[in-house]
Amino acid sequence: MGHAIRRSVRGAGSLVLALATVSCSGTTAPRSEGTSQTPQSSAAAVISVAPLDRTTGVPTDTPVLVASRGGTLQKVVVRAVKGAKGSLPGVLSADGTQWRSRGTTTPGASYEVSATAVNEAGAVTETTSTFSTVRRTATFTIDGIMPSAETTGLTVGVGMPVMITFDRDISDRVAVERNLLVTASKPVIGAWHWFDSRTVHFRPKHFWPAHTRVRVEARLAGVRGGAGLYGAANRTIDFRIGRSQITRGSVLTHLLTVRRDDRVVRRMPMSAGQGGVWKYHTTSGIHLAMSREPVTIMVSPGIGPGSPGYYRMTVYNTVRISNSGEYVHSAPWSVGSQGHANVSHGCVNVSPADAKWFIDNTLIGDPIIITGSPRRLEPTNGWGHWQEDWKQWLRWSSLKHFTTDDA
């Protein structure tokens, strides 16, 4: 991603926090705690720590907060002493009087907090306290994530969603979504959308700006996914948005027009679904290129060999645009109808030369918008995410929306 991209922060307030308001560890206002607090003068600084000393069952998303009254913090270390390894990173306020941990703790672990402060006279105060976190009974991980270098490459189209699948049902969607961070090199408003308890997808309000760099950070290690269920590991992916290429086609005019960065680069005669008794309609809506396949074997859905309407065909240079078997593909047998009539089984037929050009010039995630059909693309048919308007998309987001940018 590079250092120019600033990570967005959601659900976090200002660094300067009033420790007296912290109650997520089951305590009220924190007080000075420690096993070795040794003021060297009557004016020595007083250190307060939350969670309080010897607190047990602390939720993993509870931050460690350290404050100094009458002095500045010189050193704060939160170290795992049992059930985990390493130390928690943190941020010190500009005036040096408050420190807040970043990230989550490990469930079923014990931590030691050591802090040192000094007052204006040079008197040193030290304190040490401990706490332990809630126990876990199970973990969850990311079972699949898109885009990925293996399936889509590192550069994708302007309509590409981010798609995450978990290996277990998530009931605490707010906690998980809060730790799914998307940052981009150009300003974007976007939101996550839960399709079910294991599937959450992200898309911008509008298509991605061309040539945007995107990072997705799933900071899920130690994050609560449900009762006794905690994330096992973090995951990060980086990808790029390519040039803006949007293809529009009409089943009424029988023409596909490809625009790249607002300039027409190709016009292709097409033939769409013939409709009729078998209802072979090409769906109207905002499709996305889902895969590019040199060879595809197409079989009539729900119709077996020997039955009327059965077909099994080998087709070439196909770009998949839905889960219901719709492709833009080479159809030499219908070249005479392309540009004039709809004769396909629901796919978008183009000439062999146009199909070769289209597969070579299409990125996964490029929008292919079809109009004029009586059948509408369903939002869950493939990557029909753009079929929902922004208000509908936000209905299934736990955190509504946020802005990502590097400004």
Side-chain angles (χ1 to χ4, degrees):
M1 287 296 295
H3 64 278
I5 299 179
R6 187 192 70 206
R7 293 172 174 77
S8 63
V9 180
R10 299 175 292 146
S14 169
L15 174 63
V16 182
L17 301 175
L19 291 181
T21 66
V22 176
S23 59
C24 50
S25 63
T27 66
T28 56
R31 58 183 181 275
S32 177
E33 292 285 343
T35 57
S36 60
Q37 187 164 326
T38 55
Q40 296 183 3
S41 75
S42 59
V46 177
I47 299 175
S48 298
V49 177
L52 298 181
D53 189 27
R54 299 185 180 86
T55 300
T56 60
V58 176
T60 56
D61 58 357
T62 300
V64 177
L65 304 171
V66 181
S68 172
R69 187 175 71 250
T72 57
L73 294 167
Q74 300 299 296
K75 184 179 181 181
V76 177
V77 176
V78 181
R79 180 175 62 94
V81 294
K82 183 180 180 182
K85 296 181 179 180
S87 301
L88 284 182
V91 179
L92 186 67
S93 62
D95 62 2
T97 63
Q98 299 188 56
W99 184 94
R100 186 186 193 278
S101 66
R102 297 178 61 184
T104 57
T105 54
T106 300
S110 298
Y111 290 84
E112 179 184 81
V113 183
S114 301
T116 303
V118 62
N119 67 2
E120 292 184 353
V124 176
T125 301
E126 296 178 340
T127 188
T128 302
S129 64
T130 62
F131 68 91
S132 60
T133 57
V134 64
R135 295 184 180 276
R136 67 181 167 199
T137 58
T139 60
F140 71 91
T141 61
I142 291 178
D143 197 38
I145 190 167
M146 290 271 282
S148 68
E150 295 78 13
T151 56
T152 62
L154 297 177
T155 303
V156 295
V158 295
M160 187 71 200
V162 177
M163 298 172 281
I164 293 178
T165 305
F166 299 105
D167 66 342
R168 290 179 179 268
D169 292 342
I170 303 299
S171 58
D172 194 343
R173 296 181 179 182
V174 171
V176 170
E177 189 175 325
R178 185 188 301 134
N179 287 279
L180 300 175
L181 309 181
V182 180
T183 53
S185 61
K186 297 180 182 180
V188 172
I189 295 175
W192 293 94
H193 177 111
W194 290 86
F195 285 92
D196 55 46
S197 60
R198 296 193 180 195
T199 309
V200 63
H201 294 182
F202 175 95
R203 56 154 264 216
K205 184 177 182 179
H206 307 290
F207 291 149
W208 295 97
H211 310 295
T212 299
R213 301 187 309 277
V214 184
R215 167 166 287 182
V216 181
E217 296 177 88
R219 301 177 183 176
L220 298 175
V223 171
R224 184 181 186 274
L229 180 66
Y230 292 87
N234 298 326
R235 186 83 173 269
T236 299
I237 62 169
D238 295 300
F239 61 94
R240 287 177 176 267
I241 306 300
R243 75 289 176 272
S244 174
Q245 179 167 300
I246 300 174
T247 300
R248 296 180 182 272
S250 168
V251 304
L252 303 178
T253 63
H254 317 293
L255 182 69
L256 280 178
T257 301
V258 183
R259 286 183 174 272
R260 184 178 300 160
D261 297 324
D262 292 327
R263 184 174 63 88
V264 174
V265 294
R266 191 89 168 185
R267 288 189 174 93
M268 300 178 287
M270 60 171 268
S271 179
Q274 61 189 274
V277 65
W278 303 110
K279 298 182 180 180
Y280 288 136
H281 293 292
T282 305
T283 55
S284 279
I286 305 173
H287 306 74
L288 298 180
M290 300 173 61
S291 66
R292 296 167 296 193
E293 304 169 19
V295 181
T296 303
I297 296 176
M298 297 184 179
V299 181
S300 52
I303 303 175
S307 300
Y310 172 78
Y311 63 86
R312 179 184 175 90
M313 306 173 64
T314 300
V315 295
Y316 299 92
N317 291 329
T318 70
V319 175
R320 190 181 190 109
I321 61 174
S322 78
N323 275 346
S324 57
E326 294 173 285
Y327 292 79
V328 178
H329 68 78
S330 171
W333 57 87
S334 71
V335 168
S337 297
Q338 293 165 21
H340 307 287
N342 295 322
V343 299
S344 83
H345 294 114
C347 289
V348 176
N349 289 181
V350 295
S351 71
D354 283 338
K356 181 64 168 63
W357 183 91
F358 195 65
I359 195 173
D360 288 344
N361 287 274
T362 294
L363 293 173
I364 301 303
D366 276 349
I368 296 122
I369 304 171
I370 305 297
T371 59
S373 169
R375 181 185 170 192
R376 183 177 182 271
L377 177 68
E378 303 87 353
T380 55
N381 186 354
W383 301 346
H385 300 64
W386 297 96
Q387 288 297 94
E388 293 187 345
D389 63 29
W390 189 237
K391 185 177 180 180
Q392 292 171 319
W393 184 261
L394 290 180
R395 287 181 60 194
W396 302 102
S397 173
S398 297
L399 297 176
K400 301 313 173 192
H401 69 280
F402 60 93
T403 303
T404 68
D405 63 71
D406 69 344

